[in-house]
Amino acid sequence: MNELQKRAGHDEVAGAPAAAKAPQKLTDVAAAIKIAELQAGLEALKQGHSVVVDMLNAKVNSLRAENDSQKREITGLNSAFQWAYNYKEIPRRHWLEQGHSEEYADAMENLLGSMKENIQTLSLGTVLNDSDHGEKIIKIDFNLNDEQGNYVRADHDELLMPHWKEFAAALRHWSEYHADGKYLKVEIFYIELP
């Protein structure tokens, strides 16, 4: 073999491992860079995913709270209108049979009408402010005077108990669903309480 061929052969044999090592090193470096890029991309995706999951969890929690609030509101509205089904009229003749006058029976009908309106007002949360003092106020008044102009006190009667219970339930309802940290003044005049 001539010197060129030997050199070429030697170079090929000697150069082959050197050539293979150079691309292998480049391949290892490129692979390491690619792996680092993929890991960085994966980490970015994880962080982005974590942010999205946190946002979705916050939204779910918000929707749950809103749902709970709406359930309470529906329960409140249901109880607000329940009074209408529990309200029982007391016949006028009941008061007359008890020995009371026509005026007393009229005043008692007015009292029961006033209680019904107050129960509805409390249940719906539409209590108005007293114009003199600016505070929310409910008044229940048995308005009857005798011949001398003195106020007559309404006697307690067991038939009034469902009305008082409805009134108490309406007060509780107002306190729970409509008070918003405010106070309610309740005035009851000339009525014997249970």
Side-chain angles (χ1 to χ4, degrees), residues 99-127:
H100 297 291
S101 67
E102 289 285 335
E103 291 82 15
Y104 185 95
D106 288 340
M108 192 54 77
E109 284 182 349
N110 291 338
L111 168 73
L112 292 173
S114 171
M115 285 183 80
K116 182 179 178 181
E117 287 176 19
N118 282 319
I119 290 167
Q120 182 179 10
T121 297
L122 288 165
S123 298
L124 297 174
T126 56
V127 179

Side-chain angles (χ1 to χ4, degrees), residues 45-132:
L45 286 174
K46 283 182 182 179
Q47 289 177 353
H49 176 72
S50 179
V51 168
V52 170
V53 168
D54 290 344
M55 287 174 36
L56 290 174
N57 283 336
K59 183 70 173 174
V60 166
N61 291 338
S62 171
L63 289 171
R64 282 185 179 152
E66 184 179 341
N67 186 39
D68 290 344
S69 173
Q70 288 176 348
K71 282 181 182 178
R72 283 191 304 277
E73 185 176 338
I74 288 169
T75 300
L77 290 173
N78 285 339
S79 67
F81 290 108
Q82 194 173 17
W83 67 269
Y85 301 113
N86 293 330
Y87 185 80
K88 294 179 184 175
E89 295 287 334
I90 300 174
R92 179 182 178 79
R93 66 176 154 62
H94 171 76
W95 308 113
L96 299 173
E97 290 171 358
Q98 298 292 319
H100 297 291
S101 67
E102 289 285 335
E103 291 82 15
Y104 185 95
D106 288 340
M108 192 54 77
E109 284 182 349
N110 291 338
L111 168 73
L112 292 173
S114 171
M115 285 183 80
K116 182 179 178 181
E117 287 176 19
N118 282 319
I119 290 167
Q120 182 179 10
T121 297
L122 288 165
S123 298
L124 297 174
T126 56
V127 179
L128 299 177
N129 288 340
D130 180 18
S131 59
D132 296 335

